[in-house]
Amino acid sequence: EPEVTQTPSHQVTQMGQEVILRCVPISNHLYFYWYRQILGQKVEFLVSFYNNEISEKSEIFDDQFSVERPDGSNFTLKIRSTKLEDSAMYFCASTRMQGNAPTEQYFGPGTRLTVT
Amino acid sequence: KQEVTQIPAALSVPEGENLVLNCSFTDSAIYNLQWFRQDPGKGLTSLLLIQSSQREQTSGRLNASLDKSSGRSTLYIAASQPGDSATYLCAVRGSYIPTFGRGTSLIVHP
């Protein structure tokens, strides 16, 4: 069964460093998402991406964040200058489209980002 | 702004009980509502998706209903098993950013 994959599973970085989190969505899906979950808190939407551009973004997704689909398979989240409060689990998800609406979201296993 | 609330926050039951988990949302203009399961330290596993035009969906021992007009969904788990122990999340998708509830943490003890 196709699945969303994410690398790395755990990333440790120092404050102020740039990190890139990678995701490979399910191959026939067209809508991609990044979410984060701070330990013990709820899952929070960061950004969605459709047709090679950002579709929606939350207040969390500020200028320190960017997303890219550099080729036909990868979808990346870059954090330019990490802060301690960026420590969280980051999830990628993808959906296919049904008409004009996205359908069921499939999540990857997550990348645990630890900023020291 | 969409708000999603899940009740109860935690539930501990003996094996074999039938359970109802509740999810409520404030804005009824949704495309769909999806229920997930999350095991500790793991990703989210999709359980059921209900489109806005549907009233319910079933998968095995799970049944999810949707009442858009009252802004509520319930997840019914029949004959609970210890392997059902996890956090159950609901998420709504509409003309706004996807929004999750805080989840119901379920423990089913033998």
Side-chain angles (χ1 to χ4, degrees):
Chain A
E1 185 173 325
E3 56 184 20
V4 177
T5 59
Q6 290 186 243
T7 55
S9 57
H10 190 189
Q11 172 96 44
V12 181
T13 189
Q14 289 190 324
M15 199 165 51
Q17 296 296 305
E18 174 184 286
V19 294
I20 296 177
L21 310 182
R22 292 183 167 78
C23 168
V24 179
I26 294 172
S27 63
N28 64 343
H29 286 187
L30 300 177
Y31 218 113
F32 316 120
Y33 306 81
W34 283 102
Y35 293 87
R36 78 173 185 191
Q37 187 176 33
I38 296 170
L39 188 64
Q41 299 190 24
K42 68 176 184 176
V43 176
E44 298 174 293
F45 170 82
L46 293 177
V47 65
S48 62
F49 193 85
Y50 175 62
N51 248 354
N52 286 319
E53 62 183 18
I54 290 174
S55 178
E56 300 139 311
K57 59 182 181 179
S58 71
E59 294 169 349
I60 303 168
F61 193 87
D62 61 21
D63 292 345
Q64 290 300 308
F65 292 89
S66 62
V67 290
E68 195 176 35
R69 187 154 163 84
D71 53 43
S73 59
N74 290 285
F75 179 52
T76 62
L77 174 70
K78 183 193 291 186
I79 309 175
R80 286 191 184 80
S81 177
T82 50
K83 309 186 207 51
L84 294 175
E85 54 264 38
D86 293 327
S87 294
M89 194 76 148
Y90 287 81
F91 294 109
C92 172
S94 69
T95 75
R96 60 181 178 82
M97 298 296 285
Q98 187 169 327
N100 291 327
T103 61
E104 189 171 6
Q105 294 188 66
Y106 291 87
F107 276 68
T111 292
R112 180 167 299 284
L113 176 65
T114 302
V115 182
T116 60
Chain B
K1 182 184 172 189
Q2 178 73 275
E3 300 283 346
V4 179
T5 304
Q6 290 189 247
I7 294 172
L11 193 57
S12 179
V13 299
E15 183 175 7
E17 280 206 5
N18 299 324
L19 308 172
V20 176
L21 308 183
N22 297 290
C23 172
S24 62
F25 47 95
T26 53
D27 187 334
S28 62
I30 64 170
Y31 299 148
N32 58 52
L33 183 146
Q34 193 168 357
W35 283 94
F36 295 89
R37 168 190 173 130
Q38 186 176 31
D39 292 285
K42 304 289 187 183
L44 280 66
T45 301
S46 178
L47 298 174
L48 289 164
L49 172 78
I50 311 179
Q51 299 286 8
S52 62
S53 58
Q54 297 173 322
R55 298 284 297 197
E56 66 178 328
Q57 284 286 334
T58 298
S59 175
R61 293 183 293 109
L62 304 179
N63 175 277
S65 67
L66 174 64
D67 184 343
K68 262 181 51 176
S69 60
S70 66
R72 295 200 298 193
S73 175
T74 59
L75 178 67
Y76 178 81
I77 303 175
S80 57
Q81 303 170 357
D84 294 332
S85 299
T87 297
Y88 290 80
L89 304 173
C90 73
V92 294
R93 186 79 173 89
S95 55
Y96 42 75
I97 64 175
T99 308
F100 278 77
R102 291 189 174 274
T104 293
S105 176
L106 172 65
I107 296 174
V108 181
H109 46 89

